[in-house]
Amino acid sequence: MKPNITNTEVNIKSLIDLSRKEEIWLPEFQRPFVWDKNQVRLLIDSLYRGYTISSILIWKGGDELARRAVGARVKDIKIPEDRPEDVVYLLDGQQRTTALTLAFTKKPIFKGNNSKKKEKLNLYWDSHYTGDDAELKWVFDDERIENEENPQEPFMLKELSEEELFKKFNTRFVKIKHAFHFESKIVEDWFNKDNAEERAKMFQFQYEYSQKLKELENTVLSRKVYDIEQKGSLEQVLEVFERINTKNTKLSIFDIMVAKTYRKFDQGFFDLRSYYKIIKFNGRVDKDYFVNIEALDLDTVTLPVEDSDMLQLSMIILNKKFKGSEILKLNTEQLMQNTKLLHDKFTKVIQYMDQNFNVEVTELRRYNPILKFLAGAISHFDTIDVKQNEFLKSYFWNTLLKNRYPGAQSERIAKDYDLLVDDRTTLPQKLKRMINDNTRNLTYLENNSIDNLNLFDAHYSNRSQQIYRGMLLLLKSKNAKDFYNGFTPLKDVTNENKLEEHHIFPKKSELGKNISSKYEKHKYDDIINNIANIALITNETNNKRISSRLPSDYITDFENQYIEANKYDEFLEIMDSQFISKEMIEMLKKDQFEEFMIARTTLLYQQIEELCSIKN
């Protein structure tokens, strides 16, 4: 039977069912699923609160577009056969539909261009939580939760079976997949049904849990999906799709604040867009907004920090508040009175990120949660002394590499800030309490061998990973120098010194292909792209001096040139800056891939533990 989605009242549950049964299709020109976990969480929360999530745009046509199922791999394309049969195409709303399918079903979902790793997530509703923070109401099973019985030992839901969850928390945590499908009989094995008291507890649990599932069904799954059917030919549909993806502007909180703060003064008009160009201006600014409007060439401002993020940083610097709703309390007068202060504090935050962590301005947006805390901390400290600096650096590496903020987590950032400004504890004590929130444990890397291979879950093939980006900063932490010329490669340049992420064992070489083939069915099937096989070198060296040459060839060549120039110690310093020891150089000269990967992983892990340690 063909799906009947058009001209009907479809709810979220039926949309998910259509997706699960592969009765709606994504045209091949749709980008792959890219939402992160926090976006999925906020979508569920929006539905729960009754917020609009916009309509979906569908088109019912013939079998004339290459397409894939919702959540399918990019390469899993159904080739059109130009038949007149009805096919329902989802033109707009695929990220939302895929996110809902991922959250509520067990259907395999692939993210981005990754054709091997399926996305998995289990989201729970903390039905006892009464606050406004979505990131505490909706909890993923791999997130740390405060342990009320022992605050020093936070835990994760995935550490407990469903039966253990019940015994410990009764019906507090509700698995949202159960709202879509739940067999109540599975709980019967948790009780001794021959015992009347136990049987009564079972019935009570089933009733209370079903009531909560019913609440989720009523508030989320029963919400109407307002579908819009696009009529017309394929050519008309493609034009519509292009327009909604490139020219449609959605109202944001920044748009609201532009209207809210727009004012007329004797000297002219206050405009928030111009204001943030002043704040982002690279140079000295005046405290008077209108003087800056006249004196500065604001067309030269290109700093890639979103104005919506600038609003959040302004709220933190001026009011020490972290919830997004607090932005609406900012007003024109307050902003104008603090023009120079905001500019100077923001500049200081940027400089701090660059000087201490090698975060270039083009990459700032990737570290938004950390940026928020640092903006508050730098605004709190008049000047940063040595101990405060060590604290902030350890905070940074723990948060980034050990995943203290799985999402934006404004409430947790606010909690960190409150702890920071509490005079009753020392900086090491503050850091120790913060580290309890780490959700990534790397101790499995301590025992490493060819027979028991353990690597970082950070891969060039998935460069958007937080852990991969963090590991790149780790590589930069020793001022990584180019293998050949010793220059420090930079991302934000256009010449031959531009930074490139180089595969030390090139994946396109014969050896690289053999390695990929060897590990095809291994748990590290993407080992050739692992961060332990990545170095930061210049475009010139990567393309003109290495290309697909093996380490035994190019490392030996570079080493010999430094020896002939009587600069062998300089060569060793260059390799050390890339976390490659003298012993590892010998491994490279023999193309010993596994031995090198283990040794470099160990060295990187040791550096992480040093950077994340608590310094008294």
Side-chain angles (χ1 to χ4, degrees):
M1 181 181 293
K2 299 295 180 186
N4 183 21
I5 187 173
T6 59
N7 300 320
T8 60
E9 286 192 341
V10 177
N11 62 21
I12 294 294
K13 188 169 187 177
S14 57
L15 177 65
I16 295 171
D17 208 41
L18 289 168
S19 167
R20 183 178 64 87
K21 294 177 180 177
E22 298 188 357
E23 294 179 344
I24 49 178
W25 295 86
L26 305 176
E28 174 48 21
F29 47 72
Q30 285 268 29
R31 65 175 179 162
F33 179 61
V34 296
W35 273 21
D36 60 32
K37 289 167 61 175
N38 202 51
Q39 288 173 290
V40 177
R41 184 196 337 248
L42 292 177
L43 174 65
I44 305 299
D45 188 64
S46 293
L47 288 165
Y48 182 85
R49 294 172 187 266
Y51 297 167
T52 179
I53 63 165
S54 301
S55 301
I56 63 169
L57 178 63
I58 56 101
W59 175 61
K60 185 183 289 186
D63 181 18
E64 52 186 314
L65 287 180
R67 59 194 184 274
R68 65 181 186 278
V70 173
R73 294 177 295 187
V74 173
K75 69 177 186 179
D76 287 341
I77 301 301
K78 184 174 178 60
I79 306 300
E81 299 179 12
D82 293 322
R83 293 182 298 187
E85 67 182 47
D86 287 339
V87 177
V88 178
Y89 297 93
L90 182 61
L91 298 185
D92 190 41
Q94 74 112 338
Q95 297 292 329
R96 285 165 283 155
T97 303
T98 310
L100 290 165
T101 306
L102 174 62
F104 283 99
T105 76
K106 296 180 181 179
K107 182 181 182 346
I109 300 294
F110 293 86
K111 187 175 179 181
N113 294 315
N114 194 326
S115 62
K116 293 183 179 180
K117 188 175 180 181
K118 300 172 186 175
E119 286 293 297
K120 294 180 180 178
L121 62 79
N122 284 308
L123 184 61
Y124 287 79
W125 169 37
D126 184 352
S127 59
H128 288 188
Y129 179 72
T130 57
D132 293 325
D133 196 326
E135 290 149 345
L136 297 179
K137 181 187 290 288
W138 309 98
V139 183
F140 288 103
D141 66 350
D142 59 355
E143 292 179 336
R144 293 276 179 189
I145 299 176
E146 290 188 8
N147 190 338
E148 296 175 357
E149 298 175 359
N150 187 352
Q152 300 302 317
E153 293 185 9
F155 67 97
M156 292 183 284
L157 294 178
K158 72 176 184 179
E159 296 169 345
L160 304 172
S161 68
E162 290 185 355
E163 182 178 356
E164 289 170 334
L165 270 178
F166 153 68
K167 289 180 177 178
K168 190 173 180 65
F169 298 104
N170 199 6
T171 61
R172 173 183 168 183
F173 292 103
V174 182
K175 192 173 186 178
I176 70 167
K177 280 183 168 61
H178 288 165
F180 188 83
H181 177 74
F182 181 62
E183 295 286 347
S184 63
K185 289 184 178 180
I186 68 172
V187 306
E188 293 181 3
D189 292 336
W190 304 352
F191 301 84
N192 180 4
K193 290 180 289 184
D194 295 330
N195 181 292
E197 185 176 339
E198 282 281 290
R199 196 162 56 250
K201 287 182 180 179
M202 179 185 72
F203 291 138
Q204 182 68 22
F205 173 83
Q206 288 176 321
Y207 172 77
E208 291 178 0
Y209 198 70
S210 66
Q211 289 299 106
K212 291 185 177 182
L213 293 179
K214 192 70 177 176
E215 181 177 346
L216 285 181
E217 185 170 0
N218 291 338
T219 57
V220 178
L221 294 177
S222 295
R223 285 282 305 277
K224 294 287 194 318
V225 176
Y226 295 94
D227 61 286
I228 302 171
E229 183 181 6
Q230 176 60 43
K231 306 288 187 180
S233 66
L234 175 59
E235 288 74 18
Q236 291 171 308
V237 170
L238 291 176
E239 181 182 354
V240 169
F241 182 82
E242 179 184 3
R243 289 186 178 188
I244 64 175
N245 276 273
T246 62
K247 301 172 185 176
N248 185 39
T249 303
K250 295 180 180 178
L251 193 65
S252 68
I253 193 166
F254 181 75
D255 297 318
I256 295 169
M257 287 299 291
V258 168
K260 181 177 179 291
T261 58
Y262 194 81
R263 294 289 185 276
K264 184 179 185 305
F265 295 87
D266 292 340
Q267 304 97 313
F269 294 91
F270 176 89
D271 173 63
L272 198 59
R273 293 185 177 89
S274 298
Y275 181 78
Y276 279 120
K277 285 189 175 183
I278 296 171
I279 304 304
K280 292 188 281 187
F281 183 76
N282 184 19
R284 183 186 177 280
V285 303
D286 193 88
K287 63 180 181 180
D288 189 306
Y289 167 81
F290 290 106
V291 169
N292 292 312
I293 291 293
E294 291 294 324
L296 304 181
D297 183 3
L298 298 181
D299 290 335
T300 64
V301 176
T302 58
L303 191 64
V305 179
E306 296 290 337
D307 286 333
S308 56
D309 294 332
M310 294 299 301
L311 269 172
Q312 291 183 323
L313 294 176
S314 301
M315 169 186 70
I316 292 166
I317 292 170
L318 296 179
N319 298 334
K320 307 301 184 290
K321 301 293 184 182
F322 294 83
K323 287 188 177 181
S325 58
E326 295 288 334
I327 289 175
L328 294 172
K329 296 180 182 178
L330 291 171
N331 57 59
T332 309
E333 183 178 0
Q334 184 183 25
L335 292 171
M336 289 186 69
Q337 288 176 350
N338 291 284
T339 302
K340 181 170 176 56
L341 182 145
L342 274 178
H343 170 270
D344 293 350
K345 292 292 185 183
F346 176 66
T347 300
K348 192 172 182 179
V349 172
I350 292 176
Q351 291 172 345
Y352 192 84
M353 292 285 280
D354 177 34
Q355 293 166 2
N356 288 281
F357 313 114
N358 298 291
V359 176
E360 300 176 46
V361 292
T362 54
E363 297 289 302
L364 279 171
R365 66 187 182 279
R366 296 183 179 276
Y367 307 95
N368 196 29
I370 295 176
L371 206 61
K372 292 178 185 178
F373 177 80
L374 288 178
I378 289 172
S379 298
H380 171 68
F381 296 132
D382 291 332
T383 58
I384 299 177
D385 62 26
V386 174
K387 288 185 178 181
Q388 291 165 347
N389 192 44
E390 287 301 316
F391 165 82
L392 291 178
K393 288 196 291 186
S394 186
Y395 158 86
F396 176 89
W397 290 112
N398 271 285
T399 302
L400 182 64
L401 294 174
K402 298 195 174 179
N403 203 27
R404 294 190 56 255
Y405 299 145
Q409 309 259 345
S410 58
E411 194 163 315
R412 293 188 184 184
I413 299 169
K415 187 179 99 174
D416 280 353
Y417 180 79
D418 289 341
L419 179 59
L420 173 71
V421 300
D422 185 350
D423 294 333
R424 294 171 294 179
T425 55
T426 65
L427 288 174
Q429 289 171 334
K430 298 177 198 295
L431 187 61
K432 187 174 183 179
R433 287 174 60 179
M434 289 179 178
I435 287 175
N436 284 330
D437 289 336
N438 290 349
T439 65
R440 182 179 292 121
N441 190 331
L442 301 176
T443 54
Y444 68 94
L445 296 168
E446 291 176 355
N447 300 312
N448 222 337
S449 66
I450 292 177
D451 294 330
N452 182 33
L453 186 62
N454 289 301
L455 302 173
F456 290 100
D457 184 20
H459 297 83
Y460 176 85
S461 51
N462 194 0
R463 281 169 282 179
S464 63
Q465 289 175 295
Q466 182 201 52
I467 181 66
Y468 182 81
R469 298 197 309 269
M471 293 300 293
L472 287 184
L473 289 188
L474 184 71
L475 293 180
K476 289 182 177 182
S477 69
K478 294 178 75 172
N479 194 28
K481 296 180 175 61
D482 181 81
F483 283 164
Y484 180 76
N485 57 36
F487 293 166
T488 298
L490 298 172
K491 193 176 187 70
D492 194 22
V493 296
T494 57
N495 58 29
E496 292 184 329
N497 290 328
K498 184 177 178 64
L499 181 150
E500 291 201 357
E501 296 155 41
H502 161 68
H503 289 74
I504 298 170
F505 287 79
K507 62 180 181 178
K508 292 184 180 179
S509 66
E510 281 303 312
L511 178 58
K513 293 176 183 176
N514 290 338
I515 291 168
S516 295
S517 177
K518 176 181 177 180
Y519 283 87
E520 188 173 8
K521 295 183 179 180
H522 193 275
K523 69 175 180 177
Y524 293 117
D525 55 2
D526 198 24
I527 192 170
I528 198 69
N529 284 312
N530 190 270
I531 189 68
N533 191 37
I534 300 296
L536 306 181
I537 63 176
T538 62
N539 171 281
E540 179 183 31
T541 297
N542 194 23
N543 294 321
K544 296 182 179 180
R545 301 186 185 278
I546 297 180
S547 187
S548 294
R549 296 167 67 191
L550 293 178
S552 58
D553 184 8
Y554 69 81
I555 290 295
T556 302
D557 180 19
F558 296 168
E559 181 187 55
N560 287 336
Q561 291 190 52
Y562 273 87
I563 291 173
E564 291 172 8
N566 199 26
K567 292 187 175 181
Y568 184 60
D569 287 344
E570 186 177 328
F571 176 73
L572 293 179
E573 289 176 7
I574 288 172
M575 301 305 285
D576 180 69
S577 75
Q578 297 272 8
F579 292 89
I580 299 175
S581 66
K582 193 172 182 179
E583 291 73 22
M584 280 186 261
I585 294 173
E586 295 306 312
M587 296 174 189
L588 292 175
K589 287 160 63 177
K590 298 174 185 176
D591 289 332
Q592 294 176 323
F593 177 74
E594 283 89 352
E595 292 84 349
F596 174 80
M597 294 292 285
I598 291 169
R600 195 161 186 247
T601 296
T602 300
L603 201 56
L604 289 168
Y605 169 67
Q606 290 170 351
Q607 178 75 351
I608 289 174
E609 292 307 293
E610 170 62 22
L611 292 172
C612 291
S613 64
I614 300 173
K615 298 175 177 63
N616 293 319

